[in-house]
Amino acid sequence: MSRLFVRTLRDDPADAEVPSHRWLVRAGYIRRVAPGIYSWLPLGLKVLQKVETVVREEMVAMGAQEVHFPALLPREPFEATNRWSDYGANLFRLQDRRGNDMLLGPTHEEIFTLTVKDMYNSYKDLPLSLFQIQTKYRDEARPRAGVLRGREFVMKDSYSFDIDDEGLNASYQAHRDAYVRIFDRLGLEYVIVSAMAGAMGGSASEEFLAVAANGEDTFVRSPGGYAANVEAVRIAVPDALPIEDAPAIAVVDTPLASSIAAVVDLLNAEHAQDHPWTADQMLKNLVFLVTHPDGTSEPLAIGVPGDRGVDAKRLEAAFEPSVALPFTAEDFEKYPSLKVGFMGPVTATGEAVLGEESTSGIRYVVDPRVVTGTHWVSGANTVGQHLSGVTVGRDFTPDGVLDVADVREGDPAPDGSGPMQLARGIEMGHIFQLGRRYAEALGLKVLDRNGKLVTVTMGSYGVGVSRAVAAVAEATCDDKGLSWPLALAPYQVQILATGKDASVFEEADRIAAALSERGGLDVLVDDRKASPGVKFADGEILGMPIIVVVGRGLVDGVVEVRNRATGERREVAVADAVSAVLELAGR
Amino acid sequence: MSRLFVRTLRDDPADAEVPSHRWLVRAGYIRRVAPGIYSWLPLGLKVLQKVETVVREEMVAMGAQEVHFPALLPREPFEATNRWSDYGANLFRLQDRRGNDMLLGPTHEEIFTLTVKDMYNSYKDLPLSLFQIQTKYRDEARPRAGVLRGREFVMKDSYSFDIDDEGLNASYQAHRDAYVRIFDRLGLEYVIVSAMAGAMGGSASEEFLAVAANGEDTFVRSPGGYAANVEAVRIAVPDALPIEDAPAIAVVDTPLASSIAAVVDLLNAEHAQDHPWTADQMLKNLVFLVTHPDGTSEPLAIGVPGDRGVDAKRLEAAFEPSVALPFTAEDFEKYPSLKVGFMGPVTATGEAVLGEESTSGIRYVVDPRVVTGTHWVSGANTVGQHLSGVTVGRDFTPDGVLDVADVREGDPAPDGSGPMQLARGIEMGHIFQLGRRYAEALGLKVLDRNGKLVTVTMGSYGVGVSRAVAAVAEATCDDKGLSWPLALAPYQVQILATGKDASVFEEADRIAAALSERGGLDVLVDDRKASPGVKFADGEILGMPIIVVVGRGLVDGVVEVRNRATGERREVAVADAVSAVLELAGR
């Protein structure tokens, strides 16, 4: 410890948002160089390397082959797949000395596809899974929480290549199984949730989320086992109702009521019915401008039940790489038929105002709950008026369905198993069935059994390796510092030699040597000239799972063995110290 | 082999300049993605990882601690040390989404200095040596020879921090010793040569060059053991001569002779002397424009013996990061007193034309051989005239000495041990005594024994890790393919199962399993459905050190064991195959 390049800090870093970030910095595991860009100091690097080893072992065990591709990449392949523009500001772009456009790879689908195309040409060569553990770059708008969301980070990315869908399913499942083993070995509590494929394209996709109160991702779970990232939730869709049961349209004067709540209050006050009016009987209409990566844009109106809003993350995921932003006052000026606060699909006289075939011409999509035969209170497209009884399939027909409304704790699960729970997590792994998008864009074809050229189908799979260090720290740290599981700790044992007597230091070294020799353990001896208090506190901050105190007790022939995670302590005879530690370490 | 992601190529890559490049590509070890940017395929990556392991083990053994710093770095620290501009076009620069200037690290002196400054504050913390094995970026003007000189490459860089020069010397020596062990383990034939520190600043500096006919670096060796990179050679300086022995200046009419050779011919024809006139009695004067990174520039005249030119690499190294380019016709127009072909330090009437105090005002430096008391034939600064007997220290005094003339095979060595030999090599390692340049620029000071703040002194040390793969390949390959030493081979043994009989494949697998189990060897079985000829040829291209052929001989109970490097083959009984291979592998 007296030679180790580490210093613990008394104060939290100013930008620390979550405990793992605070402790990794305070314990001297990582150091910030720029926003979202960190150095790994000796202790942090040891944990990172242990995570890498777990990931590498499991990838090799599933039959994937390791390669290492460059981080600095030419523009052309990313142009062919549109990712040069689709990635937007998240992509680090640069030019080399000859003015060639280049980028820092956010993931490597293109280059793997081209390399396989370059080398393989027959179905006999497949299936193939390649992986790398490599540094990735994304110019995040909001890098946060230390290495939890960085701009330079270590990722295991792998890619599978198959001749057909059945092969892709098998490769996907093999990765899924390997990921289960990886995250089990990392000791993380995690859930596997359905996910959106996002800018990656493709179809089936699942995320491995470490359950964490400070996680950036929200997910839902049902009693029956349904689990999905909130972006990917497909809500329970009610059955259509018979149109003939719907009431007629009626005009309701709502002179001052331009909010849902105000309309509900007014209805209950002036148009009381058997059951009180509630917000979920209202139709809330919102208008967005959807801007595409090529700079073109188009308006879009979304109708959702009045008790819900549009969830920003779900909306973002639905349109990625395009961006949907709420209409500004300026945007509204271009559509005089839209009356803010009083918008709706139709007027009192039955004229369509929202929809591709309407006076505004604005495409109109609705929440899945706005199903045929349901009737709603909606704006009348006249200031000061609403309409009741506006019925789907009779008074208007939406242009489509879009599932982006808020998801709430207690919403019915799509598997019908009951109310959904909401929780938060950290995305640790993501597996995608890419399908043929990349192979088609880049021309990766092989000869099939019949000598016919067919496009290869691909999968893409990622594990956040540096992020895993933070996720494990987040799951295991407490209010005193880090607390590593044995499998990932930089050292399994830290021996605190306290006091000034030379015998204390000698005994510490002797125990360390014995642990290393007999148990193959990595042992850190705190041999500094520092007070016992400093050593105790640093020991807790650094978080080695087993702490041995060799100090005052030594004159009585005892040392103390502590379990960092549980706080358990026991005194053991010096002669038994080594075996007590080996037992605790499971050796 | 039937599942391994590898394909051997029949043809050389179009841009292959050297054998290692040709074979690494043809054997499917690396793949070009962009100029100077390569992917490491499974076999190549295994070699790279073995080199990394050797480097890591020796760095840890010498007491250095491993860290991992980012490749994407902010501009500011590089501004403080001037490297942002000094690195010129070799630096990859970019901006992030907020417009912050960033760069891809070519080396990491700045960030290491700042991190140590952030964590340490006392002489008690020193000495300290930190290392990383990390991806580096340099936008080389001429990336070449595959991974021998790439734009993205893997380097081990380390930095030492000491309180005083004595400490720096010890850290430097410890690195030097570790490098000797590293390059010994890699099996490279190498020399340690004096080197220029270049853009890194600093003083003492040595390079480890792998001896290679295709190397980019030229170095000299003397019989007495002097060795230096050609850029760093300090030539043997002759003693000054008594000025009174020098002949008087005499005008020689040389109407048509504006070249050294023409002047020599004319002198021998019209002014014969005891010994014929030779080019080394002439003084060749060349004028350059030296441009600094800040854009300013100044002229410089260099006088060298007439039988030599100025060596472009030595000149470049002498001025780096400034650039010296020969005067253009346009440049000469600004100095009418300079008569191209007839330039010299003085006129026939003794007026100085070159030198800070001369009519031109151009600084005039000379080769170390142009020593006081020597006399030369030089231009008379009049078209059609030269002067003989122009004597240093009598007729002119140079502004300084600059040792940048051509170095030739047979030149006397500076250690007086005889003629120098010239040879070529690949720069594998470089060790620098940086001194206090970086610590001063970035304010790294610690308290010394007396409580006084002193600036830390640093060393910087690099090993080209990816380059080492190419250097070893270059040293060991032959006209049939790669040929790895046991310590670095992706697999130590390749078993060729030739023929169609199932017993051949079973026996190959059995031998492979036994070698792995009994000797811990990595074995690659060529189990493809391919002809023996294809397997033999691929076996030689791939270059595993031991090849076992299990084929036709099997019916007679024999297999063949081949040594790839020596070509030796011997038949052994199947029962003895495993022990024969283990013996060859030194197990």
Side-chain angles (χ1 to χ4, degrees):
Chain A
M1 184 96 180
S2 61
R3 303 302 337 149
L4 185 64
F5 188 57
V6 67
R7 284 292 176 273
T8 56
L9 302 180
R10 247 176 262 168
D11 299 313
D12 288 343
D15 58 344
E17 297 167 57
V18 298
S20 62
H21 181 196
R22 173 162 63 236
W23 289 119
L24 286 170
V25 171
R26 283 188 54 182
Y29 280 59
I30 60 172
R31 215 49 155 204
R32 182 180 176 280
V33 171
I37 298 178
Y38 284 80
S39 292
W40 293 84
L41 302 184
L43 291 177
L45 183 60
K46 279 180 196 284
V47 182
L48 182 67
Q49 288 172 335
K50 290 191 181 190
V51 173
E52 282 183 16
T53 299
V54 168
V55 173
R56 178 173 287 118
E57 287 176 357
E58 294 300 339
M59 293 310 296
V60 169
M62 70 146 275
Q65 301 181 54
E66 187 171 6
V67 296
H68 196 89
F69 278 24
L72 182 61
L73 299 170
R75 168 178 177 160
E76 292 70 23
F78 286 77
E79 196 66 68
T81 61
N82 279 332
R83 290 214 299 164
W84 175 262
S85 49
D86 286 0
Y87 240 88
N90 283 326
L91 197 65
F92 282 107
R93 297 177 182 82
L94 67 158
Q95 290 196 325
D96 72 5
R97 64 192 294 152
R98 299 190 195 285
N100 296 308
D101 281 327
M102 307 199 76
L103 60 96
L104 300 180
T107 59
H108 279 63
E109 281 75 5
E110 288 82 355
I111 309 298
F112 276 78
T113 306
L114 287 174
T115 305
V116 173
K117 177 186 176 183
D118 188 23
M119 293 179 55
Y120 277 1
N121 52 32
S122 164
Y123 74 95
K124 292 181 201 161
D125 299 327
L126 305 181
L128 170 71
S129 283
L130 299 174
F131 80 99
Q132 62 177 348
I133 296 175
Q134 198 240 16
T135 304
K136 297 275 185 282
Y137 295 86
R138 286 186 207 162
D139 199 357
E140 298 280 354
R142 289 170 295 279
R144 67 181 280 274
V147 293
L148 212 47
R149 180 172 287 277
R151 299 196 293 166
E152 171 174 318
F153 54 97
V154 181
M155 187 170 152
K156 187 286 297 173
D157 51 327
S158 49
Y159 306 89
S160 66
F161 300 85
D162 283 280
I163 190 77
D164 54 24
D165 294 350
E166 196 186 331
L168 172 55
N169 283 335
S171 295
Y172 182 88
Q173 188 61 42
H175 271 89
R176 197 178 194 275
D177 294 345
Y179 278 32
V180 166
R181 289 190 295 272
I182 288 168
F183 296 118
D184 283 351
R185 285 180 65 181
L186 297 184
L188 284 168
E189 184 200 346
Y190 63 94
V191 290
I192 305 175
V193 302
S194 302
M196 299 281 292
M200 309 299 311
S203 49
S205 163
E206 288 170 293
E207 281 178 7
F208 288 71
L209 300 181
V211 179
N214 289 307
E216 282 193 303
D217 286 56
T218 306
F219 66 95
V220 301
R221 295 194 253 209
S222 80
Y226 173 80
N229 193 310
V230 77
E231 287 92 329
V233 173
R234 289 296 149 256
I235 64 156
V237 180
D239 292 333
L241 301 177
I243 286 177
E244 49 277 22
D245 294 353
I249 281 194
V251 175
V252 186
D253 284 320
T254 52
L256 297 169
S258 65
S259 75
I260 296 284
V263 173
V264 170
D265 288 350
L266 187 143
L267 284 168
N268 281 323
E270 300 186 9
H271 303 268
Q273 53 180 18
D274 292 355
H275 301 285
W277 294 95
T278 50
D280 60 353
Q281 295 172 295
M282 312 289 124
L283 185 58
K284 184 189 283 183
N285 296 297
L286 301 162
V287 196
F288 295 85
L289 190 69
V290 181
T291 304
H292 306 298
D294 65 6
T296 63
S297 61
E298 59 205 346
L300 178 78
I302 306 176
V304 296
D307 60 333
R308 293 173 195 266
V310 162
D311 181 284
K313 277 189 153 185
R314 303 187 75 206
L315 184 70
E316 188 187 335
F319 285 98
E320 203 183 347
S322 302
V323 174
L325 290 174
F327 250 38
T328 60
E330 212 182 330
D331 294 326
F332 275 115
E333 275 173 24
K334 295 179 198 148
Y335 295 90
S337 61
L338 304 184
K339 312 293 182 207
V340 177
F342 302 92
M343 279 188 285
V346 291
T347 64
T349 58
E351 192 182 11
V353 174
L354 296 175
E356 287 173 349
E357 306 294 317
S358 74
T359 51
S360 73
I362 294 176
R363 184 173 156 76
Y364 181 53
V365 294
V366 295
D367 184 83
R369 279 161 287 225
V370 184
V371 74
T372 300
T374 55
H375 60 94
W376 305 83
V377 174
S378 162
N381 300 297
T382 300
V383 173
Q385 286 193 340
H386 278 74
L387 302 174
S388 66
V390 176
T391 300
V392 185
R394 182 190 71 189
D395 303 321
F396 74 101
T397 304
D399 296 321
V401 170
L402 185 66
D403 192 359
V404 294
D406 298 331
V407 175
R408 300 220 191 106
E409 180 90 21
D411 278 349
D415 64 355
S417 67
M420 296 196 290
Q421 277 192 318
L422 278 173
R424 299 183 73 82
I426 297 166
E427 183 189 338
M428 296 307 312
H430 202 157
I431 53 180
F432 294 103
Q433 293 199 6
L434 285 181
R436 298 182 175 79
R437 176 185 155 182
Y438 288 86
E440 245 155 36
L442 297 163
L444 170 56
K445 293 171 196 281
V446 297
L447 293 170
D448 72 4
R449 223 168 267 278
N450 308 313
K452 219 185 78 188
L453 271 178
V454 296
T455 300
V456 168
T457 182
M458 293 171 52
S460 154
Y461 315 90
V463 170
V465 174
S466 44
R467 178 180 287 177
V469 175
V472 172
E474 186 73 24
T476 54
C477 72
D478 58 23
D479 59 354
K480 293 184 190 119
L482 297 168
S483 175
W484 296 107
L486 280 162
L488 299 181
Y491 298 89
Q492 290 100 355
V493 185
Q494 179 165 10
I495 303 181
L496 312 181
T498 63
K500 291 182 179 169
D501 202 37
S503 66
V504 156
F505 293 87
E506 285 158 18
E507 189 57 39
D509 285 342
R510 201 193 59 74
I511 295 173
L515 288 172
S516 164
E517 201 173 301
R518 283 174 49 191
L521 295 179
D522 294 320
V523 186
L524 177 64
V525 178
D526 191 346
D527 59 346
R528 294 175 300 170
K529 288 178 186 157
S531 73
V534 165
K535 294 189 179 188
F536 288 136
D538 278 355
E540 286 184 319
I541 291 177
L542 296 185
M544 306 315 154
I546 303 169
I547 295 174
V548 180
V549 183
V550 183
R552 266 195 310 212
L554 196 61
V555 292
D556 304 320
V558 294
V559 298
E560 191 183 82
V561 178
R562 300 183 177 187
N563 180 325
R564 170 67 184 85
T566 64
E568 274 175 90
R569 307 169 177 205
R570 69 189 178 104
E571 289 207 328
V572 298
V574 173
D576 301 332
V578 171
S579 49
V581 171
L582 289 179
E583 194 194 328
L584 210 52
R587 302 288 164 117
Chain B
M1 184 94 181
S2 60
R3 304 302 339 150
L4 185 64
F5 188 57
V6 67
R7 283 293 177 272
T8 56
L9 303 179
R10 249 176 260 168
D11 300 314
D12 289 343
D15 58 343
E17 297 168 56
V18 300
S20 62
H21 180 197
R22 173 162 63 236
W23 289 119
L24 286 170
V25 172
R26 284 188 52 183
Y29 280 60
I30 60 172
R31 217 50 156 201
R32 181 180 176 280
V33 171
I37 298 179
Y38 284 80
S39 292
W40 294 85
L41 301 184
L43 291 177
L45 183 61
K46 279 180 195 284
V47 183
L48 183 68
Q49 288 172 336
K50 290 190 181 190
V51 173
E52 282 183 15
T53 299
V54 168
V55 173
R56 178 173 286 117
E57 286 175 358
E58 294 301 339
M59 293 311 297
V60 169
M62 69 146 274
Q65 300 181 55
E66 187 171 6
V67 296
H68 196 88
F69 278 24
L72 182 61
L73 300 170
R75 168 178 177 160
E76 291 70 24
F78 286 77
E79 196 68 68
T81 61
N82 279 331
R83 289 215 298 163
W84 175 262
S85 50
D86 285 1
Y87 239 88
N90 283 325
L91 197 65
F92 282 107
R93 298 177 181 81
L94 67 158
Q95 289 195 325
D96 72 6
R97 65 192 295 152
R98 298 190 196 284
N100 296 309
D101 281 326
M102 307 198 76
L103 60 97
L104 299 179
T107 60
H108 279 63
E109 282 75 4
E110 289 81 355
I111 309 298
F112 277 78
T113 306
L114 287 174
T115 305
V116 173
K117 177 185 176 184
D118 188 24
M119 292 179 54
Y120 277 2
N121 53 32
S122 162
Y123 73 96
K124 291 180 201 160
D125 299 326
L126 305 181
L128 171 71
S129 283
L130 299 174
F131 80 99
Q132 61 177 348
I133 296 176
Q134 198 241 14
T135 304
K136 296 274 185 283
Y137 296 87
R138 285 185 207 162
D139 199 357
E140 298 279 353
R142 288 170 297 278
R144 67 181 280 275
V147 293
L148 213 46
R149 179 172 289 276
R151 298 197 293 167
E152 172 173 317
F153 55 96
V154 181
M155 189 170 152
K156 185 286 297 173
D157 51 326
S158 48
Y159 306 90
S160 66
F161 300 86
D162 283 280
I163 190 78
D164 54 24
D165 294 349
E166 196 186 329
L168 172 56
N169 283 334
S171 295
Y172 182 89
Q173 188 61 42
H175 271 89
R176 197 178 193 276
D177 294 345
Y179 278 32
V180 166
R181 288 189 296 271
I182 288 169
F183 297 117
D184 283 350
R185 284 180 65 181
L186 297 184
L188 284 168
E189 185 200 344
Y190 64 93
V191 289
I192 306 174
V193 302
S194 303
M196 300 281 292
M200 309 299 312
S203 49
S205 163
E206 288 169 290
E207 280 178 8
F208 289 70
L209 300 180
V211 180
N214 289 308
E216 281 194 303
D217 287 56
T218 305
F219 67 95
V220 301
R221 296 194 252 209
S222 80
Y226 173 80
N229 193 309
V230 76
E231 286 93 329
V233 174
R234 290 295 149 255
I235 65 158
V237 179
D239 292 335
L241 302 176
I243 286 177
E244 50 277 22
D245 294 352
I249 281 193
V251 175
V252 186
D253 283 320
T254 51
L256 297 169
S258 65
S259 75
I260 296 283
V263 174
V264 170
D265 288 349
L266 187 144
L267 284 169
N268 280 323
E270 299 185 10
H271 303 268
Q273 55 178 18
D274 293 355
H275 301 286
W277 292 95
T278 50
D280 61 351
Q281 296 172 295
M282 312 288 122
L283 185 60
K284 184 189 284 182
N285 295 297
L286 301 161
V287 196
F288 295 84
L289 189 69
V290 181
T291 305
H292 306 298
D294 65 4
T296 62
S297 62
E298 59 205 345
L300 178 78
I302 307 177
V304 297
D307 60 334
R308 294 173 194 266
V310 162
D311 181 284
K313 278 189 152 185
R314 304 188 75 206
L315 184 70
E316 189 188 334
F319 285 98
E320 203 182 349
S322 302
V323 174
L325 289 174
F327 249 38
T328 60
E330 212 183 332
D331 292 328
F332 275 115
E333 274 171 24
K334 294 179 199 149
Y335 295 90
S337 62
L338 304 184
K339 312 292 181 205
V340 177
F342 302 92
M343 280 188 284
V346 290
T347 64
T349 59
E351 192 183 11
V353 174
L354 297 175
E356 287 173 347
E357 306 293 317
S358 73
T359 53
S360 72
I362 295 177
R363 185 174 156 76
Y364 182 52
V365 295
V366 296
D367 184 84
R369 278 162 287 226
V370 184
V371 73
T372 300
T374 55
H375 60 95
W376 304 82
V377 174
S378 161
N381 299 299
T382 300
V383 174
Q385 286 193 340
H386 277 75
L387 303 174
S388 66
V390 175
T391 300
V392 186
R394 182 190 71 189
D395 303 321
F396 74 100
T397 303
D399 296 321
V401 171
L402 185 65
D403 191 358
V404 293
D406 298 331
V407 176
R408 301 223 190 104
E409 180 90 21
D411 278 350
D415 64 355
S417 67
M420 294 197 289
Q421 277 192 316
L422 276 173
R424 299 184 73 81
I426 298 166
E427 183 188 339
M428 297 307 313
H430 202 156
I431 52 179
F432 294 103
Q433 294 199 6
L434 286 181
R436 298 181 175 79
R437 176 185 155 182
Y438 288 86
E440 244 155 36
L442 297 162
L444 169 57
K445 294 171 196 279
V446 297
L447 293 170
D448 72 4
R449 222 168 268 278
N450 308 312
K452 217 185 79 189
L453 270 178
V454 295
T455 300
V456 167
T457 182
M458 292 170 53
S460 154
Y461 317 88
V463 170
V465 174
S466 43
R467 178 179 287 178
V469 175
V472 172
E474 186 73 23
T476 55
C477 71
D478 57 24
D479 58 355
K480 295 184 188 119
L482 297 168
S483 175
W484 296 107
L486 281 161
L488 299 181
Y491 297 89
Q492 290 100 354
V493 185
Q494 180 166 8
I495 302 182
L496 311 182
T498 63
K500 292 182 178 169
D501 202 38
S503 65
V504 157
F505 292 88
E506 286 159 18
E507 189 57 39
D509 284 343
R510 201 192 58 74
I511 296 174
L515 288 172
S516 163
E517 200 173 301
R518 284 175 48 193
L521 295 180
D522 295 320
V523 185
L524 177 63
V525 179
D526 191 345
D527 58 347
R528 294 175 300 169
K529 288 177 188 159
S531 73
V534 165
K535 294 189 179 187
F536 289 136
D538 278 355
E540 286 184 320
I541 291 177
L542 295 184
M544 305 315 153
I546 302 170
I547 295 175
V548 180
V549 184
V550 182
R552 268 195 309 212
L554 197 59
V555 292
D556 304 320
V558 295
V559 299
E560 192 183 80
V561 178
R562 298 181 177 189
N563 179 324
R564 171 68 185 86
T566 65
E568 274 175 89
R569 307 168 175 206
R570 68 188 178 105
E571 289 206 327
V572 299
V574 173
D576 301 334
V578 171
S579 50
V581 171
L582 291 178
E583 194 193 328
L584 210 52
R587 300 287 163 115

